[in-house]
Amino acid sequence: MYSVTRSNDTRTALIETTKALLWERGYAATSPRAILERAHVGQGSMYHHFSGKEELAVAAFERGAAGVLQRARDVLATDGTPLARISNYLMLQREILRGCPVGRMAGDADVLASAELAAILTAAFGQLRELIVSVLQEAVDAEELAHDADPRDLADTVLAVVQGGYVLARAAGDVAPFERAVRGAVSLLEVHSADGAAR
Amino acid sequence: MYSVTRSNDTRTALIETTKALLWERGYAATSPRAILERAHVGQGSMYHHFSGKEELAVAAFERGAAGVLQRARDVLATDGTPLARISNYLMLQREILRGCPVGRMAGDADVLASAELAAILTAAFGQLRELIVSVLQEAVDAEELAHDADPRDLADTVLAVVQGGYVLARAAGDVAPFERAVRGAVSLLEVHSADGAAR
DNA sequence: GTCTATATACTGATAGAC
DNA sequence: GTCTATCAGTATATAGAC
């Protein structure tokens, strides 16, 4: 049983190291060699635990996406009015200049070319969307948003502001564009809110 | 003079081919070999006209960014109310699943590591931002937006919705998320607009 | 289960003939 | 100005010892 324990440690080290490198460099630009060197593991171990780079990346990306989703669930499930929870999600503390561990994968052609990696990516945003749609629907039901507001449209607007904010911040080498984009979105939702009550 | 003419043709072919590959694959994943094969040019020609991959990419990215900016200027300078022009920009016909030729570069670590490529990227979004801030300021002056709306914040919100829309669409393998995000943003600006007049 | 050695193809760049 | 030949280095994967 010692071998099993040791195996799990090596396996976990490979996955965690790959998760970090996927975030830093993306999939195509992350080489098995870079993973092995950072994890202090020999070549053979990786090919013992995984069939190759893709299978390892799948395991790592699954963990990364699960972490992002958990963080979103936590902030969207706290107390406060529905719209306040959306604002909290938008203003969530993020490592902006590092980019989104999930969203960054959408720019990598090799990710979209891998059925498994693309499926994780699609599913992650699908679940994020569902969470946000649900909170926005609550906002409409509570008359925090106008009755004709479309929660499905607005959910993608919210997600896009965050994902686009990352892009603008990295392009500028500065978090300011992200912060402005989010502040602008929150102000639009708040006006919408004030208006919603009036109608 | 024949040699000069021929040189310009080869040079242009290299730049245009690189521009296409940067859009398709990004910078890191575009190899000199791929450029040369698609442009039907030998190895030596590239190193005659350019010092290497980076210098060629700079020339190609400059052209690509100029094209995107020109397109934005065209739609933002048409007639119509300021807010209508912003809506037109948001709803502009785009090759959504291909991604934004400018924005996609922000996800490429090698682009940010190149001083020249990063400068083009930063400048392109800086100029887009100026264009949009200016139209949003017109909207405030014309009382199409509330007097306390911040054109600088909202400009980044608009840019982020577009850039994030690309990310969501590629992640879903479907243009629908882009279209929902834009529709949501337009609806928020319109409500803001209706409200602006009332205040 | 882990390691080192090796294989094959590709990367970005240079050399030098024409 | 353009070409082919070549280089040292890396990417992904396999072989086989321990």
Side-chain angles (χ1 to χ4, degrees):
Chain A
M1 296 301 267
Y2 277 107
S3 61
V4 170
T5 298
R6 193 176 170 194
S7 162
N8 283 344
D9 285 355
T10 300
R11 199 188 149 83
T12 301
L14 284 168
I15 292 175
E16 287 300 316
T17 301
T18 303
K19 194 177 103 180
L21 283 167
L22 286 182
W23 191 4
E24 282 173 33
R25 304 268 313 162
Y27 177 60
T30 293
S31 67
R33 170 187 279 207
I35 295 166
L36 299 169
E37 279 177 5
R38 191 182 290 195
H40 304 293
V41 163
Q43 293 267 45
S45 293
M46 174 179 140
Y47 289 98
H48 171 73
H49 290 286
F50 303 93
S51 64
K53 173 182 167 172
E54 184 178 4
E55 194 176 296
L56 173 50
V58 165
F61 188 28
E62 273 171 353
R63 283 208 192 188
V68 168
L69 270 164
Q70 191 49 56
R71 191 116 191 277
R73 268 190 215 98
D74 287 347
V75 69
L76 287 168
T78 51
D79 32 315
T81 67
L83 219 49
R85 284 181 278 147
I86 294 291
S87 292
N88 286 343
Y89 174 73
L90 281 164
M91 298 187 299
L92 190 59
Q93 181 69 32
R94 292 176 172 93
E95 299 192 62
I96 296 169
L97 291 181
R98 286 197 179 178
C100 172
V102 176
R104 89 168 336 282
M105 303 291 269
D108 194 321
D110 288 5
V111 169
L112 304 186
S114 156
E116 286 195 90
L117 289 171
I120 298 167
L121 177 62
T122 302
F125 276 118
Q127 289 172 62
L128 274 175
R129 180 176 294 117
E130 276 180 37
L131 285 171
I132 296 176
V133 166
S134 152
V135 178
L136 287 171
Q137 184 61 57
E138 284 182 55
V140 170
D141 293 345
E143 297 190 345
E144 248 196 317
L145 284 178
H147 65 88
D148 61 345
D150 186 330
R152 213 160 150 64
D153 286 353
L154 292 177
D156 276 304
T157 304
V158 167
L159 282 172
V161 165
V162 171
Q163 292 300 318
Y166 279 117
V167 172
L168 300 178
R170 283 172 60 92
D174 183 347
V175 300
F178 184 102
E179 291 171 346
R180 288 193 297 261
V182 162
R183 208 158 48 222
V186 169
S187 75
L188 289 176
L189 286 166
E190 281 173 352
V191 171
H192 194 100
S193 164
D195 184 64
R199 296 202 192 185
Chain B
M1 295 299 269
Y2 277 106
S3 61
V4 170
T5 298
R6 193 175 170 196
S7 164
N8 284 342
D9 285 355
T10 300
R11 200 187 149 83
T12 301
L14 285 168
I15 293 174
E16 287 300 317
T17 301
T18 303
K19 195 178 101 179
L21 283 167
L22 286 182
W23 191 5
E24 283 172 33
R25 304 268 314 160
Y27 176 61
T30 293
S31 67
R33 170 187 278 209
I35 296 166
L36 298 170
E37 278 177 6
R38 191 182 290 195
H40 304 292
V41 162
Q43 293 267 46
S45 292
M46 173 179 142
Y47 288 99
H48 171 75
H49 291 286
F50 302 94
S51 66
K53 173 181 166 172
E54 184 180 2
E55 196 176 294
L56 173 51
V58 165
F61 188 28
E62 273 172 352
R63 283 208 193 188
V68 168
L69 270 164
Q70 191 50 54
R71 192 116 191 277
R73 269 190 215 100
D74 287 348
V75 68
L76 287 168
T78 51
D79 31 316
T81 67
L83 219 51
R85 283 182 278 149
I86 294 292
S87 291
N88 286 342
Y89 174 73
L90 281 165
M91 297 186 299
L92 190 60
Q93 181 69 32
R94 292 177 172 90
E95 299 190 64
I96 295 170
L97 291 181
R98 286 197 177 179
C100 172
V102 175
R104 86 163 347 276
M105 302 291 269
D108 193 323
D110 288 5
V111 169
L112 303 186
S114 156
E116 287 195 90
L117 289 172
I120 297 167
L121 177 62
T122 303
F125 276 118
Q127 290 172 60
L128 274 175
R129 181 176 293 116
E130 276 179 38
L131 285 172
I132 296 174
V133 166
S134 153
V135 177
L136 287 170
Q137 184 60 58
E138 283 182 57
V140 171
D141 293 344
E143 296 189 343
E144 249 197 317
L145 284 178
H147 64 88
D148 62 344
D150 186 331
R152 214 160 149 64
D153 286 353
L154 292 177
D156 276 303
T157 305
V158 167
L159 282 172
V161 165
V162 172
Q163 292 300 318
Y166 278 118
V167 172
L168 300 179
R170 283 172 61 92
D174 183 346
V175 302
F178 184 102
E179 291 170 348
R180 288 194 296 261
V182 162
R183 208 159 47 222
V186 168
S187 75
L188 288 176
L189 285 166
E190 281 172 353
V191 170
H192 193 100
S193 165
D195 185 63
R199 294 204 190 185

